[in-house]
Amino acid sequence: MRPRVFVTRRIPRPGLELLEEATDLRVFAEDRMPTREEIRAGLQGRHGLLSLLTDTIDGPLMDAGDLRVISNYAVGVDNIDVLAATRRGIMVTNTPVEGLRESPADHTFALILALSRRIVEGDRMVRQRGFTGWGPEVLLGTDVYGKTLGIVGAGGIGAAVATRAAGFGMQILYHSRAPKEEWDAGLGAQFVPLPQLLREADVVTLHVPLSAKTKHLIGATELQMMKEGAFLINASRGPVVDEEALVAALKAGRVAGAALDVFEHEPEVHPGLRAMSNVVLTPHTASATWETRIEMAVVAAENLLAGLRGEVPPFLVNPEVLSSQD
Ligand code: DGY
């Protein structure tokens, strides 16, 4: 019997084709986030679930299907109760593909440059016919060259951002659970405690996964520590930053600007952020390139198929589930 699979939203074709060849496939019919009830309905009798980072998958929802594998179409798995899955003997997989390091790093740099060179403000000015000719002090921004970038989180994306920063002639400070030899030696980066990074960096960029420990990692106290004139970039997960505190810090001029790809109550965006011209906002598109999204689709499908065949999937998040299956 072909395993039965539910995909919560259409993903790029190459991934769906792999699933079509080997499974009885059900894809949520509309191109939008399904509700909890719609996921529950879609899961009936399904052995495999391909979920997105916008789907909250907890234990009771897992029980709606006959699940053996949950393949998350993301590197982050904060939307899944992994412990609940392990207790149920369900494998959870993710997609830490190369593109999910490089594309978000490019986007992070796009945000840094958009903010420091006031690209979005300039675009608006030109469209609104506010451009009346070159002027010595029109829309002056700040250089990134020679400035200090503070990278919080030294995983794959943080490393790809560091490589770019070195190319842009920036000094690099970083903070993570432990120093990384290759960062210090290869990039001339310096491992520092978080308060020091906040005090010394001209641009602070966040690249940590969301967990109980990193929720509100950047709150009022941390924002208060930031260097005068510094920018905050967040392309990790919204709740890593206390959005209310950020709005207050921006209003008070404690933080000179922010560029955000993710939001605390996504897809809601704090009205204070939308109102400020020194804030650049993108709709969680850091990984949104055809190359990366196709790579993710293929890997998510391969993870799911391997798990359904009883093999160890290439990117298993909860290997402890294997011992519980013995
Ligand atoms: C991820 O994979 O966690 C990214 O946020 C997707 O864009």
Side-chain angles (χ1 to χ4, degrees), residues 53 73-76 95 100 236-237 284 287 293 296:
L53 60 89
Y73 182 75
V75 67
T95 59
L100 268 183
S236 60
R237 286 290 185 266
H284 203 151
S287 71
R293 292 287 168 87
M296 289 166 69

Side-chain angles (χ1 to χ4, degrees), residues 12-137:
R13 199 66 225 143
L16 288 181
E17 277 165 11
L18 285 177
L19 294 175
E20 272 162 7
E21 276 164 26
T23 70
D24 166 348
L25 182 62
R26 177 188 293 162
V27 182
F28 182 63
E30 295 175 48
D31 191 19
R32 63 165 171 84
M33 260 163 70
T35 63
R36 185 177 171 83
E37 281 321 305
E38 287 167 335
I39 297 177
R40 191 192 299 282
L43 274 175
Q44 303 295 319
R46 300 283 119 176
H47 306 116
L49 168 67
L50 194 147
S51 54
L52 309 189
L53 60 89
T54 43
D55 306 319
T56 300
I57 311 293
D58 56 20
L61 202 50
M62 292 170 199
D63 295 336
D66 192 8
L67 286 178
R68 304 206 294 265
V69 192
I70 300 172
S71 168
N72 210 36
Y73 182 75
V75 67
V77 288
D78 48 277
N79 58 308
I80 297 177
D81 186 340
V82 178
L83 206 62
T86 307
R87 284 203 195 105
R88 287 165 171 76
I90 301 171
M91 292 189 242
V92 178
T93 66
N94 69 346
T95 59
V97 297
E98 187 183 12
L100 268 183
R101 296 188 287 278
E102 301 302 328
S103 305
D106 280 348
H107 197 83
T108 299
F109 250 85
L111 293 176
I112 293 173
L113 294 172
L115 196 55
S116 58
R117 300 307 304 271
R118 305 179 65 180
I119 300 294
V120 180
E121 286 177 82
D123 179 87
R124 269 190 220 122
M125 179 196 264
V126 174
R127 283 173 203 277
Q128 291 164 5
R129 299 182 191 277
F131 177 47
T132 53
W134 186 90
E137 293 194 349

